[in-house]
Amino acid sequence: MHTIEHEVERPDRDVVEAFEGVPSTIVSDVTGNVGLTMDSGIEPAYDGIEVAGTAITVNASPGDNLIIHKAITMAEPGDVLVIDANGYTETGHIGELMCTSCQANDLAGLIIDGGYRDSREIAEMEFPVYGRGTNPQGPLKQDPGSVNVTVSCGGVSVDPGDIVIGDDDGLAVIPSKGAAEVLERSRQKLSAEDSVREEVLDGDYLFELNGYDELFENLNVVGPEDSIQ
């Protein structure tokens, strides 16, 4: 079944913009490191990349980009296209001209669990793109696909309206309904890390500051004299 859903319940724009500059590592930590961080196979197109925006989700048939073209026309400024192409990297589903269209219409970025092309041009234009690989092979245009349905991208279930943030380390997804809470917890963690950083600069050890020393003492650590020879 192919579905085109035009209505997307987006989180407050101020909340989305507040995530700009928040490291993906922080978001990953405060969301529990479970199920909301895309796998390492989804890589940035260039160094120094940053993205934060609202997900417009796309389910594309592997090797076909017709539905991606349609989704670009449906996206609003600040949106991020999140494309499930089933991890297929033997076709460049999107390229420089499509990204130019996205950039001209103020989209925040594009993420594809699949292949893309024109990697040099995309890097030069500094439009945030993440993908599973590159391939010069052009795509077909014969499958309608779906827009704004639940998709899987980088091993994460993404719904339309979720917030996606990314940097050089990778991508994290924030469910829209809990976004304000995640933002507050992210701010608290950033503040806490600033305090810890000062202590580390003074020569203190994270091993002790974070209580890892007590954790270590409670472990049954086996020495060489206790090992089986």
Side-chain angles (χ1 to χ4, degrees):
M1 177 181 288
H2 303 289
T3 301
I4 304 294
E5 178 58 60
H6 290 271
E7 297 298 323
V8 175
E9 187 175 345
R10 292 173 171 83
D12 188 271
R13 186 61 199 163
D14 290 340
V15 173
V16 179
E17 291 178 350
F19 276 104
E20 294 177 0
V22 176
S24 62
T25 51
I26 294 294
V27 172
S28 179
D29 285 351
V30 303
T31 54
N33 296 311
V34 178
L36 296 174
T37 303
M38 293 193 188
D39 69 58
S40 60
I42 308 296
E43 298 183 335
Y46 56 90
D47 293 335
I49 195 170
E50 286 189 352
V51 64
T54 304
I56 294 297
T57 59
V58 184
N59 193 336
S61 180
D64 194 295
N65 77 349
L66 180 61
I67 193 62
I68 304 174
H69 281 279
K70 174 62 177 175
I72 292 172
T73 70
M74 295 171 59
E76 297 182 1
D79 286 342
V80 176
L81 290 186
V82 180
I83 303 161
D84 177 4
N86 202 33
Y88 188 72
T89 57
E90 298 310 307
T91 293
H93 298 82
I94 63 106
E96 177 261 334
L97 284 177
M98 295 173 75
C99 289
T100 297
S101 178
C102 290
Q103 192 174 57
N105 287 282
D106 297 322
L107 273 64
L110 186 151
I111 302 156
I112 181 165
D113 197 333
Y116 65 98
R117 62 183 186 172
D118 299 332
S119 56
R120 179 184 298 174
E121 290 83 355
I122 290 170
E124 289 174 349
M125 65 190 290
E126 295 186 342
F127 179 71
V129 170
Y130 291 76
R132 195 168 287 281
T134 58
N135 196 301
Q137 175 68 46
L140 300 172
K141 292 174 177 61
Q142 61 187 27
D143 194 307
S146 297
V147 180
N148 288 327
V149 297
T150 300
V151 299
S152 177
C153 187
V156 177
S157 179
V158 184
D159 289 317
D162 286 348
I163 298 174
V164 184
I165 68 104
D167 48 33
D168 289 337
D169 286 331
L171 294 152
V173 178
I174 305 151
S176 59
K177 291 185 179 179
E181 180 183 355
V182 172
L183 177 60
E184 179 58 29
R185 291 167 61 187
S186 297
R187 286 170 169 168
Q188 291 173 358
K189 184 168 178 60
L190 283 167
S191 178
E193 288 197 353
D194 286 342
S195 298
V196 170
R197 187 174 295 105
E198 292 298 321
E199 296 179 86
V200 171
L201 287 170
D202 286 337
D204 292 337
Y205 295 102
L206 290 173
F207 186 70
E208 296 164 349
L209 291 172
N210 290 340
Y212 301 151
D213 52 343
E214 296 179 8
L215 177 65
F216 190 81
E217 289 299 323
N218 291 330
L219 297 176
N220 184 21
V221 180
V222 177
E225 68 278 5
D226 300 315
S227 63
I228 299 175
Q229 301 298 318

